[in-house]
Amino acid sequence: MQLSNADARRIFIARQGLSQPRGRLDKAGLLALIEAIGFVQVDSIATVERAHHHILFARNPGYRREHLTALLEKDGALFEHWTHDAAIIPSAFYPYWKHRFAQARERLAERWRSWHENGFESYVDHVLERVRREGRLMARDFEQDPETGKRPPGGWWNWHPEKTALEYHWRTGTFAIAAREGFQKVYDLAERVIPAGPYAGEVDRAAFVDWACASALERLGFATHGEIAAFWDLVSPEEAKRWVAENAHRLEPVSIGLADGSRARASHAFAGAREAFDALPAPPSRLRVLSPFDPLLRDRNRAERLFGFNYRIEVFVPAPKRVYGYYVFPILEGDRMVGRIDMKADRKTGTLDVRRLWLEKGVRGSAGRLDALDAELARIARFAGVERTVYLDGWRGD
């Protein structure tokens, strides 16, 4: 199978939920959307809106935050755990995550024990007993030193032993995130958070690897074995490569046209996928500002190959060395990445402040495109809870 670059972009955009029609999105529709794209990354930065809300809003402006909260905290239809980073995941996938829990038990115990050399196991046992006895607890419920009555210095870089133990129990599946207050995790026993069916479900290693690879390829449309392994970050590239070889009868080779016109990239797709690919809709032509953590761009190298768009988050880059800015948002128009924008919601002034716009090489700042951007920013401003958009001096780079 040969896919032009335009077809490859169309397929990937559709598989990542960005070709859905706008309209009302109820709770069931939201769950179906998250199941279709696989997961939604969670991040604490709220320059405009937190990443998980922005990701879902970009796919459907009818998204409502309260529906996500209900699915997570009331219905148990979603849970929080780790893919390549912290993410919201359908609870139907929970049995497969038990293999990640087992990996974490092997990897984390030794590493985190070195953080707190004096009796780390006693902290693990103590935290487990308190949560089992008292129910939902947060890290701050453990922060007061029983001898001094004081709280230790805060910050993610300075976890106290009980916080480390809470995270250990979460990463290894004993605890689950029952809710969030602000952005702080509320921990409880997984058996009290995850619905009985998924919690009790078990799959063997072979079934786990098959699901991890097949479900990744389904959501990517086409992929190399490395891209398959990276999607969930559940299996190694070697396991994915072996899965491809063992399932050659289910797959067919596909040649992917690249954005720069260089030699096509060899990938894999499910056998007979051409008909399904041809049925996928073109993305809407409207302009959309995406979250820096949008799954369309999570694999930076794949995004550059398909869209010719070199994108990196510069949060951890020292300010003098940043090319663009602290938290810059990519812009999708139809099936093209056309630019990036630096903006911030100032809730004190009620404004969405646009600091700078960069358009990609060859993309004109036409009146029509800027009007479309203005309309998109007005939608984002309303979603972020501010009243209007303000373009700051020099926003065009003059």
Side-chain angles (χ1 to χ4, degrees), residues 180-194:
R180 282 186 182 260
E181 291 186 12
F183 199 69
Q184 301 302 306
K185 298 186 185 87
V186 179
Y187 303 85
D188 200 355
L189 294 177
E191 64 201 70
R192 297 198 288 237
V193 176
I194 306 300

Side-chain angles (χ1 to χ4, degrees), residues 49-69:
E49 182 51 276
R50 297 201 193 278
H52 45 294
H53 295 312
H54 192 154
I55 289 166
L56 296 167
F57 176 78
R59 282 151 179 77
N60 192 318
Y63 163 69
R64 297 291 178 266
R65 299 173 184 82
E66 58 267 25
H67 289 158
L68 185 68
T69 300

Side-chain angles (χ1 to χ4, degrees), residues 102-113:
Q103 293 168 358
R105 280 191 290 273
E106 294 178 6
R107 187 176 68 252
L108 294 180
E110 187 63 34
R111 187 175 73 180
W112 287 3
R113 187 180 292 112

Side-chain angles (χ1 to χ4, degrees), residues 261-306:
S262 61
R263 183 180 178 183
R265 185 173 177 82
S267 293
H268 310 282
F270 283 111
R274 168 68 78 174
E275 185 176 351
F277 289 165
D278 289 345
L280 292 172
S285 60
R286 73 180 187 271
L287 184 148
R288 284 174 283 183
V289 176
L290 304 181
S291 164
F293 295 102
D294 195 284
L296 189 74
L297 304 173
R298 187 202 65 77
D299 186 332
R300 307 299 190 204
N301 294 328
R302 180 180 170 100
E304 191 163 355
R305 287 191 293 269
L306 291 181

Side-chain angles (χ1 to χ4, degrees), residues 75-76 91-96 98 190-191 193-203:
D75 302 344
S91 293
F93 303 163
Y94 190 82
Y96 302 104
K98 292 181 179 180
E191 64 201 70
V193 176
I194 306 300
Y199 179 77
E202 299 285 347
V203 293

